Amino acid sequence: MTQIAKALLVDDRRQNLTALEAILQGLPVQSVAVESGEAALKQLLVDDFAVILLDAQMPDMDGFETASHIKRRERTRHVPIIFLTAADRDAQLALRGYQVGAVDYLTKPFDPWVLRAKVSVFVELWVKTRQLATQSDLVRERDNQWRRLTDAVDEATTLLRSDDSEARDRAVRMLEQARWGNTA
């Protein structure tokens, strides 16, 4: 089951969300747009995201406070956050963004191709991480199968060395089961 990467878009202005969705169109990512920090935190409870595009300046809970909450949660602390803001190139705001865990801070107007490239990198990393997790699970299961098989062979070897014919018969049955992967 291949899960598609998602990007969480957070901005209090609908027209900005529409613009972000248009910028990301054609990338292998599903956009999920919300209009507040509170809505973003709720969305993060039910979905996994490859990247978050977060407006720094929003009413009620601003982007910095939202990012702070995101980075405190075990489930979401590793999701990369790219801040987007209309504020002037205020170094203090950018520094504040990085301090709360952002991986990047872009001021508007920004080059849409640069944003697409950045999102693409995080989507690719997300996909590769999922693939590695799947492969790790497969390796772990094969290790467990190998361990069960080795244990069965060791036990059967001990039984075969016995003078007891029932024990040797049991050993043969164990080896036959192990051959067909029926070790428990």
Side-chain angles (χ1 to χ4, degrees), residues 10-21:
V10 187
D11 198 304
D12 59 309
R13 295 182 168 187
R14 171 60 30 214
Q15 66 268 28
N16 289 346
L17 292 171
T18 301
L20 287 173
E21 289 172 326

Side-chain angles (χ1 to χ4, degrees), residues 88-104:
D88 292 345
R89 295 188 178 272
D90 183 349
Q92 290 295 58
L93 281 180
L95 179 61
R96 188 173 171 207
Y98 291 120
Q99 286 175 334
V100 294
V103 296
D104 210 345

Side-chain angles (χ1 to χ4, degrees), residues 2-110:
T2 305
Q3 193 179 14
I4 188 162
K6 295 179 183 178
L8 181 59
L9 316 179
V10 187
D11 198 304
D12 59 309
R13 295 182 168 187
R14 171 60 30 214
Q15 66 268 28
N16 289 346
L17 292 171
T18 301
L20 287 173
E21 289 172 326
I23 290 169
L24 300 181
Q25 195 166 14
L27 293 179
V29 64
Q30 177 185 345
S31 296
V32 176
V34 297
E35 295 182 11
S36 70
E38 293 89 352
L41 295 174
K42 287 178 184 174
Q43 194 65 48
L44 287 161
L45 291 173
V46 296
D47 273 329
D48 292 323
F49 290 91
V51 64
I52 300 169
L53 304 182
L54 181 59
D55 182 22
Q57 298 176 324
M58 296 184 292
D60 300 323
M61 182 186 298
D62 69 14
F64 303 108
E65 186 180 349
T66 303
S68 179
H69 285 291
I70 291 168
K71 293 302 180 178
R72 274 186 267 170
R73 291 179 178 173
E74 180 64 34
R75 181 172 185 227
T76 57
R77 75 172 31 129
H78 299 293
V79 179
I81 297 172
I82 299 175
F83 271 110
L84 306 173
T85 185
D88 292 345
R89 295 188 178 272
D90 183 349
Q92 290 295 58
L93 281 180
L95 179 61
R96 188 173 171 207
Y98 291 120
Q99 286 175 334
V100 294
V103 296
D104 210 345
Y105 191 95
L106 301 177
T107 55
K108 300 171 188 171
F110 52 82

Side-chain angles (χ1 to χ4, degrees), residues 130-143:
R130 291 292 185 277
Q131 290 171 344
L132 284 172
T134 299
Q135 290 174 349
S136 177
D137 290 344
L138 289 172
V139 167
R140 195 174 304 110
E141 179 55 33
R142 286 191 182 130
D143 285 348

